[in-house]
Amino acid sequence: MARILRSFFTLKRFRRQLANVDALPQLCVLGLVSGVITGALMVGFRSLLSLGASLYMPDGSPEAFEQLTPWVRAALPLLAVLLIGLWLGRLTPSGRKIGIAHVIERLTYHQGRFLRRNWFTQWWVGLVSVLGGLSAGREGPAIHLGAAAASGLGQYLRLPHNSLRVLVACGTAAGISASFNTPIAGVIFAMEVVMMEYTITGFMPVILASTVSGLVAQLAFGFESPFQASDVALGSLANLPWIVVSALGIGLLAAGFVELARVGRRLERFPLAARFALVGVLVGGVAWFYPEVQGMGYDTLGLTFSGSLTVDVLLAVAVGKLLLTAFTVACGIPVSIIGPILVAGGAAGALFGLAGNQLMPNVSASPAVYAMLGMAAMMGAILQAPLAALMALLELTHTPNMMLPGMLTVVVACLTSRQLTGSKGFFNSALSGSRHPLQHPLMQALSRVSVPAVMERNLVRTRRMITPAAAHKLLETNPVWLIIERSSQKKPLLALRGSALARWLLEHETPIQQGHRDYQRIDLMEIPGQRLELAPIGLQATLSEAFIALQDEALGALYVVHGRHLKQRRISGIITRGAVERYYQYNDRPMANRDGGNTRNLL
């Protein structure tokens, strides 16, 4: 019994199950483990923020910049850009990529595999940017650290690449959940912004990861409600026209943010030190008068909801913090933008609310209502993620009565940003190409499955020249494919159907039995039948990787290599272009015996 259980729970079996599209139980196990790992990492990251703040910040709070003297808060951004510049200056441009855009890039072009040096860079930049008073949040570090750690677990276990994609989504959702006690928003953000798809197989592991990570954070810090915004309500429906106007304005602000952040490509001709110094001077100069533009700004957002900020401070936050964040990104400092845009959106919404009070003094809702709506509208328009923005509105404010006007506000802001200005969203704009590769239905479907789920395993390897007895022995196992090893290692392997050899043996059975000298040795290169040129692909690869490799017209199929290095050539199976196409068209049908006929019947 124990032997049966061990065989059932072996890592090899676990990998093979994960290769299929319906490996839901296995993915849920990975989601649970990812949630624990990411939750522990976020506890560590938040503890380091608190530890760093305790060294010089009043009350040990990483957001208490308003209590510092003007010269200290103005000097902190200069010190921050110096420390970040010294770290990034040693790295290549690819090594400087961190944050959410980097997570999407690694998922899109690298099957969810992350580089260790970028992971350590995220720790350094994430801590220094927040503690150093730049306009930055902790969402980007949470997502990058969580996604890379979850993916690292899959890479360590050598899991199929299709499961790495789900692990990245698990780490993303878990990072958000552990940072802000917003598990639902974390799930929706992971699926809407990072994965860009909604599937049951993807949702359940991500939900588990987000739940477990949130529980780990609550065990460490207790339950924290980010904002206490009770007793707020829309009141009269007469507010709806002005809500639409405010959403239009916020949508235009969001489009301006994305456009300013994109000018970084034009700024690359200037030295890195000059760009970083300019950011430090600008942030420090504004912070001298308005420290609310520094750091994450969630304390400022709370004061916005309570109506404690003056108009000039709201203007500084709505415009100044938004522009400073975009310019920081444009100059090459990879700070997290989600926290700052939430704060700026809340301030912009409050300004529209104050204007509404002047226009409709008797029926206008409180500025707090417009601040909440503005927060969600700004996030939805900049990220082009309306569902994630609505879930953030619900979980951050705990005001379900705001969902109906929130839906209207977010949709109008997203449409304004996308249709009137052509903005595709911050993270889509950060990727090269006119269309995100994961938005292609074919590539999405093929990325959910690894090659072991489709490859033909029934094959044998053989030399080119064999005797008739050896040929019959090869066919004893009824192979679908014969892998012909070439004499030169530089030449690719070839594949011949087993049925072709079986047919040839039947046709020449008489001269072979008579010992005819021309049939004492068989040249498999001369057997009538189609021979496919082969190229290697890893056992962990997805069908999307196989599909891309098979676009080479010279290739007829791929041989699947088991092991860490392709040169080891321990062949596990063959995957053909036809197998990939049939899977996409008929992925609900059994894939057994899909590549060839039954050679036993021919013999």
Side-chain angles (χ1 to χ4, degrees):
M1 182 67 179
R3 182 180 300 176
I4 295 175
L5 289 175
R6 282 196 300 270
S7 64
F8 183 79
F9 290 106
T10 60
L11 183 57
K12 182 177 179 181
R13 180 183 178 89
F14 189 67
R15 293 192 191 109
R16 185 166 179 175
Q17 291 169 331
L18 283 170
N20 295 286
V21 71
D22 57 349
L24 186 56
Q26 294 76 21
L27 291 173
C28 286
V29 171
L30 292 176
L32 287 171
V33 178
S34 300
V36 173
I37 294 174
T38 304
L41 282 175
M42 291 307 100
V43 169
F45 185 79
R46 293 174 61 178
S47 299
L48 287 175
L49 279 177
S50 300
L51 178 62
S54 66
L55 300 177
Y56 62 93
M57 296 288 280
D59 302 325
S61 172
E63 295 194 88
F65 294 99
E66 294 86 351
Q67 302 179 40
L68 296 173
T69 59
W71 70 267
V72 172
R73 62 179 182 244
L76 278 175
L78 292 171
L79 178 61
V81 297
L82 174 63
L83 293 175
I84 294 173
L86 290 175
W87 182 283
L88 297 183
R90 303 180 297 106
L91 303 174
T92 61
S94 62
R96 300 170 188 163
K97 295 180 179 180
I98 58 175
I100 304 171
H102 178 64
V103 171
I104 297 174
E105 179 186 357
R106 299 304 298 186
L107 181 66
T108 304
Y109 301 112
H110 303 278
Q111 304 299 325
R113 294 167 294 183
F114 289 81
L115 300 176
R116 192 175 301 173
R117 66 174 184 270
N118 299 73
W119 194 71
F120 286 112
T121 298
Q122 179 65 88
W123 280 96
W124 178 254
V125 175
L127 292 170
V128 172
S129 61
V130 174
L131 294 173
L134 297 177
S135 181
R138 67 184 186 213
E139 303 83 9
I143 291 170
H144 183 181
L145 296 177
S151 173
L153 169 68
Q155 290 177 258
Y156 176 76
L157 297 176
R158 289 186 291 154
L159 301 182
H161 291 168
N162 65 318
S163 61
L164 291 188
R165 299 178 69 250
V166 179
L167 282 170
V168 169
C170 289
T172 297
I176 296 176
S177 176
S179 295
F180 305 103
N181 282 317
T182 54
I184 302 177
V187 172
I188 298 300
F189 183 91
M191 305 305 291
E192 187 175 30
V193 177
V194 177
M195 291 281 284
M196 294 189 175
E197 64 179 6
Y198 299 97
T199 61
I200 295 296
T201 305
F203 256 121
M204 289 190 182
V206 175
I207 290 173
L208 282 174
S210 185
T211 302
V212 172
S213 182
L215 290 174
V216 171
Q218 289 186 25
L219 287 174
F221 303 111
F223 179 78
E224 300 171 316
S225 181
F227 308 107
Q228 297 295 337
S230 58
D231 300 328
V232 293
L234 180 62
S236 174
L237 293 179
N239 287 280
L240 292 181
W242 188 245
I243 285 176
V244 172
V245 173
S246 65
L248 285 168
I250 290 174
L252 293 175
L253 283 174
F257 175 91
V258 175
E259 288 302 314
L260 178 57
R262 291 180 61 188
V263 303
R265 295 168 184 162
R266 285 176 276 176
L267 295 177
E268 289 179 353
R269 64 178 182 270
F270 298 104
L272 187 70
R275 286 181 275 150
F276 279 32
L278 182 58
V279 170
V281 170
L282 288 176
V283 175
V286 177
W288 181 280
F289 303 99
Y290 297 103
E292 291 82 3
V293 302
Q294 293 185 285
M296 296 176 286
Y298 285 112
D299 57 338
T300 302
L301 188 56
L303 294 173
T304 303
F305 291 158
S306 65
S308 303
L309 298 180
T310 60
V311 174
D312 63 318
V313 174
L314 290 174
L315 280 170
V317 175
V319 179
K321 190 172 182 66
L322 198 66
L323 294 178
L324 287 174
T325 306
F327 189 71
T328 300
V329 173
C331 288
I333 302 178
V335 297
S336 174
I337 68 163
I338 296 181
I341 65 176
L342 285 172
V343 176
L351 288 172
F352 278 104
L354 291 173
N357 284 340
Q358 298 297 318
L359 295 172
M360 303 175 296
N362 296 324
V363 297
S364 178
S366 68
V369 171
Y370 284 87
M372 293 179 187
L373 300 178
M375 174 186 72
M378 187 70 78
M379 176 181 174
I382 289 179
L383 305 184
Q384 287 297 306
L387 284 179
L390 288 170
M391 288 301 102
L393 170 64
L394 176 63
E395 291 188 294
L396 289 175
T397 64
H398 297 279
T399 53
N401 59 317
M402 286 291 100
M403 291 301 289
L404 182 61
M407 293 166 68
L408 176 63
T409 308
V410 168
V411 168
V412 172
C414 288
L415 285 175
T416 301
S417 177
R418 189 178 187 90
Q419 300 300 322
L420 294 185
T421 68
S423 176
K424 301 176 183 177
F426 179 81
F427 296 120
N428 274 347
S429 299
L431 292 175
S432 59
S434 59
R435 187 181 184 186
H436 196 299
L438 291 183
Q439 291 177 329
H440 196 290
L442 172 62
M443 300 308 290
Q444 275 190 347
L446 297 182
S447 294
R448 300 187 193 116
V449 188
S450 286
V451 292
V454 179
M455 72 182 183
E456 178 57 66
R457 293 181 171 85
N458 193 2
L459 52 87
V460 292
R461 300 179 68 170
T462 178
R463 294 173 295 174
R464 173 178 174 175
M465 303 296 297
I466 58 174
T467 63
H472 281 278
K473 188 173 182 59
L474 286 176
L475 297 177
E476 286 179 356
T477 58
N478 191 29
V480 174
W481 291 102
L482 304 175
I483 307 298
I484 305 173
E485 298 177 343
R486 307 286 284 271
S487 57
S488 173
Q489 293 296 326
K490 294 182 180 180
K491 293 184 179 180
L493 300 179
L494 292 176
L496 175 69
R497 290 189 183 276
S499 56
L501 177 59
R503 186 178 299 107
W504 188 91
L505 289 174
L506 285 175
E507 293 174 352
H508 299 82
E509 182 177 6
T510 300
I512 290 175
Q513 291 177 349
Q514 294 176 352
H516 196 285
R517 59 180 298 177
D518 292 338
Y519 298 97
Q520 292 178 357
R521 293 184 67 83
I522 303 171
D523 186 353
L524 294 180
M525 294 297 291
E526 300 298 328
I527 295 292
Q530 183 183 14
R531 270 163 287 274
L532 304 179
E533 294 275 359
L534 300 179
I537 191 170
L539 186 68
Q540 298 167 280
T542 62
L543 290 190
S544 61
E545 294 177 84
F547 180 79
I548 293 172
L550 288 169
Q551 297 307 300
D552 184 353
E553 294 296 335
L555 289 178
L558 302 170
Y559 65 91
V560 184
V561 177
H562 177 64
R564 292 183 179 272
H565 304 289
L566 297 181
K567 292 183 179 179
Q568 293 177 343
R569 289 193 172 183
R570 289 184 290 168
I571 300 177
S572 300
I574 283 182
I575 183 167
T576 63
R577 187 180 290 106
V580 176
E581 292 172 352
R582 283 193 293 275
Y583 173 83
Y584 180 67
Q585 295 175 358
Y586 312 108
N587 55 11
D588 58 339
R589 297 184 181 181
M591 298 302 296
N593 297 325
R594 55 198 165 271
D595 268 336
N598 193 327
T599 55
R600 184 178 290 116
N601 293 337
L602 293 175
L603 293 175

